[in-house]
Amino acid sequence: MSVLVLVLAVSAACCLGLGFVLQQNAARRAPPGDFLSLRLLLDLVRVPRWLAGTGLMVAGMTLGAVALGRGEVSLVEPLLATNLLFALALSRRQTRQPLGRQGWAGLVLLAGGVTAFIVAGEPRAGSAVTDPLRHWLVIGLMLGLAVLLTTCARRSRLSRGPVLLALAAGLLYGVQDALTRVSGRLLSSGGLTELLTGWQPYAVVALGVTGLVLVQSAFGTAPLRMSLPALTAAQPLAGIACGVGFLGDRLRTDTGALTWEACGLAAVVTGIVLLGLHPAMPRGTARSGRARELQAR
């Protein structure tokens, strides 16, 4: 594994984790009527804390894109999942909660799971799949699940809605990461002309804006502990599926390697849940009667 890719991916995770906390601090005060609406972004853009969080998130995505250009999606995505460690660090500073057994267990599982997956799987580049049908099958599956989750979230609103929205956003971000790598390949092989004539960079922007609306709606309707674990868990799983599915990423497939890879991913998800549910994560603020009225509708 390239040291540069490691540094870029972990730096990206740091920016993302800190940015998510600042965004949630601001989004929880957004009007309930902005739920799943572009008006939400228009309202939040006037909040300095949200702008700072968004700036960090953009920086994290940029660093992640550079890392994806130099390393496999199946390698970078698990490293990006460590953003929750940095989110917890900032949240602990705000809430002054000790790490405790739950925090240490989550930290060990997340870090150990990422290490186990990378060491056992040995992600490496291969030949990208040229069959467009396979591309659209994998991408369509991810997008279809995201639409289904968003539809269910509209009905759940303040109960299971934030978790479902975060899962949907994580799936979109995973596909976005994969298409970012494809866009980088287009730029390096054919220059700016080939990049701008392809559909992939425009899909990256569309997925980014849609994911941002979903994430901010989740952040604005529930505590961070309900949404960030789902977002952090879904993104690497979707990214790995795209990497192996059509980008040509290769993982070891012998029985022992597959067992360790599965255990590593399970440990990552478990660690994410433990850290996301840690008492240090912001609880958010209770919604007003207007919010309860919206939920009743």
Side-chain angles (χ1 to χ4, degrees), residues 163-264:
V163 178
L164 299 178
L165 287 179
L167 285 172
L171 294 176
L172 295 184
Y173 283 152
V175 176
Q176 182 191 37
D177 289 341
L179 295 181
T180 297
R181 184 177 174 191
V182 175
S183 299
R185 288 178 175 176
L186 292 176
L187 181 63
S188 61
S189 63
L192 190 60
T193 301
E194 185 169 347
L195 174 67
L196 295 179
T197 54
W199 59 269
Q200 290 88 350
Y202 305 102
V204 168
V205 175
L207 289 170
V209 173
T210 305
L212 188 60
V213 172
L214 296 179
V215 167
Q216 302 311 312
S217 295
F219 286 172
T221 51
L224 196 64
R225 65 181 62 186
M226 288 187 63
S227 53
L228 191 54
L231 171 66
T232 307
Q235 182 174 350
L237 295 179
I240 291 171
C242 291
V244 175
F246 62 84
L247 289 179
D249 288 0
R250 294 181 179 178
L251 298 171
R252 288 178 56 194
T253 56
D254 56 274
T255 304
L258 287 175
T259 300
W260 278 106
E261 290 165 27
C263 291

